[in-house]
Amino acid sequence: MGDKPVLTKIAVLGVGRVGTAVARTAMQAGLAVNVAASKGAEEIALIAEIITPGAVAMTAADAVADVDLVVLAVPLHKFRTVDPRMLDGKIVIDAMNHWHDVDGPLEDVTGDPRSTSEIVASHLAGARIVKALNHIGYHELEEDARRDIASGAEGRGLESRRALAYATDDADAAAATHELLDRFGFEPVFAGALASGIAFESGTDIFNDSFDAVGMRAALADAGIPALVAA
């Protein structure tokens, strides 16, 4: 990747705790942000004004229309309510997790051997899906972000940043996500194909812990994901 920022604007679908934390972190990273939810733009405008000041509340279709990247942060049990047509060709980060207490058993997810992001990708067939931002607490996004530390400090005796893994089958989506995580203040670690995202779904060792980049690569290797060069 080059050093010049490419991303200028993102959309966040979902204005719950995760979605609003992503929106705030993105704005702190210098990005313009559109936010949307299942409710109308007018209904979430007050939420945006109070919780994500600076973000622009829109309908979902308008929010994603002219952005570089979309973060999907709706409850997993609602992902089939997202219209696939509006995300056709878009880079979409799947930040969702299966929370039993919220989502219920979701037999079409738990009974499927694929990763949850592969299942989401089947629904959003034209989108370029990335699994990322799911294995960090919403409050940690702002607490653990270190935009004052340069990327690649780990293993060189320097203070390092918390690593976040991402998985995708799309090279351009990988590059965009790498930039996003870096600008958020985290060390991006490419985990390979979208199917590899199962290694950091809820309940896994990676999900339940935090690592620098060296530790993340070791944890991915322990999960059966071979070491990869970052996109």
Side-chain angles (χ1 to χ4, degrees):
M1 286 185 58
D3 294 331
K4 185 178 179 180
V6 174
L7 302 175
T8 59
K9 184 190 291 186
I10 71 168
V12 180
L13 301 185
V15 293
R17 291 173 176 173
V18 174
T20 53
V22 170
R24 288 194 299 271
T25 304
M27 288 187 287
Q28 291 161 11
L31 294 161
V33 179
N34 297 336
V35 294
S38 56
K39 298 179 180 177
E42 297 80 6
E43 293 181 78
I44 65 168
L46 184 59
I47 295 175
E49 181 179 344
I50 295 173
I51 303 178
T52 60
V56 180
M58 297 179 155
T59 65
D62 288 342
V64 305
D66 66 343
V67 297
D68 304 306
L69 181 152
V70 179
V71 177
L72 187 56
V74 303
L76 184 63
H77 70 274
K78 293 185 175 179
F79 80 89
R80 294 189 191 282
T81 67
V82 177
D83 184 354
R85 295 169 297 181
M86 70 180 181
L87 296 177
D88 191 31
K90 298 288 186 183
I91 296 171
V92 178
I93 291 181
D94 168 19
M96 300 180 293
N97 287 301
H98 179 215
W99 299 108
H100 186 278
D101 290 347
V102 175
D103 300 316
L106 285 185
E107 293 183 1
D108 62 335
V109 172
T110 57
D112 193 317
R114 296 177 296 172
S115 68
T116 56
S117 289
E118 289 176 284
I119 297 170
V120 171
S122 294
H123 173 63
L124 304 175
R128 304 150 76 184
I129 300 291
V130 186
K131 183 70 168 181
L133 291 172
N134 72 299
H135 62 92
I136 182 169
Y138 66 88
H139 54 90
E140 295 172 328
L141 265 177
E142 294 167 286
E143 294 172 359
D144 292 355
R146 293 297 305 271
R147 284 180 283 277
D148 58 322
I149 298 176
S151 176
E154 80 286 349
R156 296 193 288 121
L158 304 173
E159 187 176 6
S160 59
R161 305 189 295 184
R162 179 172 176 175
L164 294 181
Y166 63 97
T168 182
D169 299 324
D170 186 295
D172 290 339
T177 303
H178 190 100
E179 179 189 330
L180 185 78
L181 298 180
D182 180 34
R183 290 177 65 180
F184 272 18
F186 297 90
E187 198 67 27
V189 174
F190 182 47
L194 187 62
S196 299
I198 201 168
F200 43 95
E201 288 186 354
S202 58
T204 63
D205 290 342
I206 293 175
F207 183 91
N208 291 328
D209 208 340
S210 61
F211 309 89
D212 63 11
V214 172
M216 178 62 78
R217 293 190 180 98
L220 287 167
D222 288 344
I225 308 300
L228 295 166
V229 176

